[in-house]
Amino acid sequence: MIPYSGHIEEKTSLRWRQHFRYTSTPYAASRSDISPNNTDAAMSDQPFPTAAFKQQYHGIEVSFPAGQGDFRSVRNSCAAACRAFNSTPEDADVKIRGEKWLDIVKPNRPKKADGTSAEEGTMVTHDQAITNPTLKATIPFVKPPLWVDYGTRLKVASTTFINRNCVILDTPVADLIIGERCNIGTNCTIVCVGHPVSLEGRRTTKLSTGAPVTIGNDVWIGANVTILPGVSIGNGAVIGAGTVVNCNIPPMTLAVGSPVRLVKALALNEDKPAVLIKTLDESKELTNSLPMEHWDGTDAAFRAAQAAQLAQKSDRRGGSEHQRVEEQQRERLRKSEIVVIAAVTTVVLALLMLFSLFFFAGLYLGESRGCLRSSDL
């Protein structure tokens, strides 16, 4: 099995031990008894998860010949269903949108003569259920375009929302489960497929590998997130934009980064109060914008804007900027003093050496003359 294990920092501080506990059951993220309103079912007395946690709950990785005829046929059929779904307008009739979605995830369902599903019941999307709470969603709200490889083992809860440009690289040998009330941002990629790591394996076997992915209930996945094979994201977790999820994410945690790292445990309700706008007319009266800096494109205007920015930074720093300049001046003075002292010391040492040379030379010459006189006698 190819380990898709990233790095999770082991946090054993008292705060984490007291406020964060995780599920000890494999694929507990898909259990219906675990939710933000029932977090006790997802807790144990174990410390913060380490590398052993990640490796223990990876799913089974299975090899399969993706290029074989029957696998390729299913993949081609799913591609055609995705093209049909993506060509359907978002404001099309719910029945049409629902049928196009079911053609991706349930292509072999019983159908009537007109090609529609034989199952009884009214199709209700997640967005309709939000508008009318009396309705119960029967199919998820998925915005096109969407791309799925097989769809045969893709299970998405009816109360989940998937935004545009989602790419799901699923496989026919492992389940991809997305739980209830999930929000998946734009340009997300969920990967269940892989290939041999060794060069020889890729050259000779030409096999693909598939591992399951489970996304629990009430998970929010930000934009441009990549989820790699064999991982499970626990209930109530939040995945920050641009994150690469290469290891299991425990329930009720905030995770960000590439590779992913756990930031903190989440409370059931920690959002700050926000302004509530109930109607479109109210939104038109709301002033909510950030200031924008303008210039006419000339060099003078650019320099003026740059000077204003520097002045603003100096104002924010206050006296610390002047202290920094003074410290730099003092440092340069200290360096110059060291240079002067070193130069004086060098000159003094040179003079001492020269004096010593003359002194010893004089002694030598004096002794030489004394020896000559004694020889004359």
Side-chain angles (χ1 to χ4, degrees):
M1 176 177 177
I2 301 174
Y4 294 94
S5 57
H7 175 65
I8 290 185
E9 297 178 356
E10 182 179 2
K11 299 181 182 294
T12 57
S13 65
L14 180 62
R15 173 180 174 273
W16 283 95
R17 290 199 299 268
Q18 289 178 341
H19 298 282
F20 180 74
R21 292 174 291 176
Y22 62 94
T23 57
S24 57
T25 303
Y27 295 104
S30 61
R31 289 164 48 190
S32 59
D33 62 326
I34 301 177
S35 68
N37 296 325
N38 185 21
T39 54
D40 289 339
M43 290 185 176
S44 69
D45 292 328
Q46 303 180 36
F48 194 87
T50 58
F53 172 84
K54 300 177 297 179
Q55 297 174 359
Q56 184 178 1
Y57 298 124
H58 277 293
I60 299 174
E61 188 175 73
V62 180
S63 298
F64 68 100
Q68 189 174 315
D70 51 353
F71 290 113
R72 186 181 297 275
S73 176
V74 173
R75 200 163 58 249
N76 291 339
S77 299
C78 186
C82 288
R83 288 194 297 270
F85 177 83
N86 294 335
S87 63
T88 304
E90 288 187 30
D91 57 352
D93 183 74
V94 177
K95 183 72 173 178
I96 298 176
R97 290 166 54 191
E99 291 292 343
K100 300 295 185 183
W101 166 255
L102 292 177
D103 286 342
I104 297 175
V105 297
K106 293 183 179 180
N108 299 323
R109 69 190 186 283
K111 297 182 181 179
K112 299 179 182 178
D114 59 358
T116 59
S117 299
E119 301 174 357
E120 297 293 334
T122 304
M123 288 191 181
V124 178
T125 59
H126 174 49
D127 55 329
Q128 288 181 309
I130 292 177
T131 306
N132 186 357
T134 61
L135 299 176
K136 183 178 180 180
T138 58
I139 56 174
F141 181 28
V142 182
K143 287 188 175 183
L146 167 78
W147 302 104
V148 179
D149 263 3
Y150 292 90
T152 54
R153 303 188 69 159
L154 173 61
K155 301 175 179 62
V156 183
S158 58
T159 55
T160 283
F161 167 64
I162 300 177
N163 216 325
R164 297 179 179 88
N165 293 317
C166 182
V167 177
I168 298 177
L169 303 180
D170 58 330
T171 69
V173 296
D175 290 341
L176 197 165
I177 302 173
I178 302 177
E180 302 283 349
R181 300 173 298 278
C182 292
N183 292 316
I184 299 179
T186 57
N187 299 310
C188 285
T189 302
I190 305 174
V191 184
C192 292
V193 67
H195 301 282
V197 174
S198 66
L199 177 60
E200 188 64 24
R202 294 196 301 274
R203 284 180 173 178
T204 57
T205 62
K206 294 182 173 58
L207 294 176
S208 298
T209 57
V213 170
T214 298
I215 300 174
N217 301 327
D218 302 287
V219 174
W220 176 22
I221 298 175
N224 295 293
V225 170
T226 299
I227 301 173
L228 298 183
V231 302
S232 178
I233 300 177
N235 294 335
V238 176
I239 311 298
T243 298
V244 176
V245 183
N246 61 346
C247 60
N248 292 335
I249 305 299
M252 299 299 293
T253 54
L254 173 62
V256 299
S258 176
V260 66
R261 60 184 177 86
L262 303 182
V263 177
K264 66 175 183 177
L266 297 175
L268 294 181
N269 185 9
E270 62 180 33
D271 294 332
K272 298 179 181 179
V275 177
L276 178 61
I277 298 297
K278 296 182 179 180
T279 63
L280 183 61
D281 292 335
E282 291 181 3
S283 67
K284 294 178 180 179
E285 299 176 359
L286 178 65
T287 301
N288 186 15
S289 61
L290 294 174
M292 180 181 295
E293 300 293 338
H294 296 280
W295 67 79
D296 57 5
T298 62
D299 292 338
F302 175 76
R303 285 195 296 271
Q306 191 177 36
Q309 185 179 17
L310 292 175
Q312 184 179 6
K313 289 183 179 179
S314 179
D315 292 340
R316 285 200 302 266
R317 292 175 180 174
S320 61
E321 182 68 19
H322 300 289
Q323 294 175 1
R324 186 178 65 84
V325 174
E326 292 177 357
E327 182 63 29
Q328 290 178 349
Q329 293 176 350
R330 286 194 294 268
E331 183 66 22
R332 285 195 294 268
L333 181 61
R334 283 195 295 268
K335 289 181 179 179
S336 62
E337 291 176 351
I338 292 173
V339 171
V340 171
I341 294 173
V344 172
T345 303
T346 303
V347 171
V348 171
L349 290 175
L351 292 174
L352 289 175
M353 292 178 64
L354 187 60
F355 175 79
S356 301
L357 180 62
F358 282 114
F359 177 77
F360 287 111
L363 290 178
Y364 176 76
L365 291 175
E367 291 178 356
S368 299
R369 290 174 183 175
C371 292
L372 288 173
R373 289 173 184 173
S374 61
S375 64
D376 291 341
L377 295 175

